[in-house]
């Protein structure tokens, strides 16, 4: 399966869920997805430093060859081409995307490489919980499901999610980015 292959290649990071769904031939993954691998440690050809760039808090469905659904968090809109470049051979026009982006203030959609990308602003919180809220999925809707099948439920709900603006170009999207101010106070005092 494709997601298991990503895992063996070291493209998954901080894995929460990785396994088969109850739908034949479909696997689910939740965790971070590597966009730029870390460099090899000095003198090693197998030991890498931590990834340089991640797609955070992803929820992904895939069959043996293609990504069916990708949900996650980009720190910046400008990182989207890095994702496309790395994973474009696993994407197709039917791939459903729903991404949160920290440095946008309004929802936007773009068609890149023939795939419709849906982007929504991200403020704070867990992407999984934000996605459930965005798609009007109640915790009770997920009760009794395996962790993998919960991703299928999110995918099914995401099919009807619409962004009410026309697609824009990537350059236009970049012109609408905002500066993200993060609080310096982190952790216990």
């Amino acid at each position: 399966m494709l997601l298991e292959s990503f895992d063996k290649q070291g493209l998954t990071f901080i894995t929460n869920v990785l396994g088969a769904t109850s739908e034949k031939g479909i696997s689910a993954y939740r965790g971070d997805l590597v966009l730029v691998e870390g460099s090899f440690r000095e003198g090693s050809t197998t030991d890498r430093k931590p990834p340089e760039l991640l797609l955070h808090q992803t929820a992904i469905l895939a069959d043996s060859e293609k990504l069916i659904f990708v949900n996650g968090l980009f720190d910046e809109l400008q990182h989207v081409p890095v994702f496309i470049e790395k994973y474009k051979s696993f994407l197709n026009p039917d791939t459903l995307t729903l991404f949160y982006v920290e440095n946008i203030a309004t929802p936007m959609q773009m068609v890149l490489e023939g795939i419709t990308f849906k982007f929504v602003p991200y403020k704070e919180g867990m992407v999984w919980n934000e996605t459930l809220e965005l798609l009007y999925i109640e915790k009770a809707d997920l009760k009794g499901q395996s962790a993998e099948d919960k991703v299928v439920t999110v995918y099914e709900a995401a099919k009807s999610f619409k962004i009410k603006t026309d697609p824009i170009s990537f350059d236009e999207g970049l012109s609408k980015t905002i500066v993200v101010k993060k609080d310096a106070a982190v952790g216990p005092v």
Side-chain angles (χ1 to χ4, degrees):
M1 296 303 277
L2 183 60
L3 295 174
E4 289 80 356
S5 168
F6 287 177
D7 190 49
K8 286 180 183 150
Q9 295 173 50
L11 298 176
T12 58
F13 195 71
I14 310 177
T15 300
N16 297 323
V17 174
L18 177 60
T21 67
S22 61
E23 293 194 22
K24 188 174 178 359
I26 306 294
S27 293
Y29 171 74
R30 284 187 53 203
D32 292 346
L33 187 66
V34 174
L35 299 180
V36 178
E37 291 107 332
S39 58
F40 288 112
R41 296 190 191 280
E42 193 172 317
S44 177
T45 58
T46 56
D47 187 22
R48 288 189 178 272
K49 294 178 181 176
E52 294 178 19
L53 185 62
L54 294 166
L55 177 60
H56 299 283
Q57 302 180 48
T58 64
I60 301 173
L61 286 177
D63 60 20
S64 60
E65 299 176 2
K66 296 293 179 187
L67 295 171
I68 297 167
F69 172 63
V70 188
N71 169 237
L73 169 65
F74 284 105
D75 294 330
E76 298 180 13
L77 189 62
Q78 70 188 32
H79 295 151
V80 173
V82 178
F83 167 78
I84 293 171
E85 183 63 31
K86 184 144 196 86
Y87 295 101
K88 71 179 166 190
S89 62
F90 308 109
L91 301 169
N92 66 35
D94 294 330
T95 301
L96 180 62
T97 67
L98 178 56
F99 292 113
Y100 285 86
V101 183
E102 280 196 61
N103 71 335
I104 63 171
T106 58
M108 54 180 75
Q109 61 182 336
M110 301 170 193
V111 177
L112 306 167
E113 300 284 331
I115 298 129
T116 301
F117 285 81
K118 296 176 184 174
F119 301 111
V120 291
Y122 173 80
K123 301 291 184 246
E124 62 185 10
M126 297 295 295
V127 168
W128 178 255
N129 293 338
E130 295 296 314
T131 302
L132 294 179
E133 189 174 312
L134 180 72
L135 300 176
Y136 303 104
I137 298 172
E138 300 291 330
K139 298 277 186 190
D141 297 335
L142 303 174
K143 195 167 185 92
Q145 294 183 357
S146 69
E148 294 82 4
D149 284 343
K150 289 176 182 178
V151 179
V152 174
T153 298
V154 169
Y155 164 66
E156 292 297 332
K159 287 179 180 179
S160 61
F161 177 76
K162 304 280 188 245
I163 290 183
K164 294 175 174 64
T165 61
D166 291 330
I168 59 173
S169 70
F170 185 69
D171 289 340
E172 185 178 348
L174 285 177
S175 73
K176 295 180 177 193
T177 59
I178 59 171
V179 174
V180 177
K181 295 180 181 154
K182 295 190 180 190
D183 292 336
V186 178
V189 177

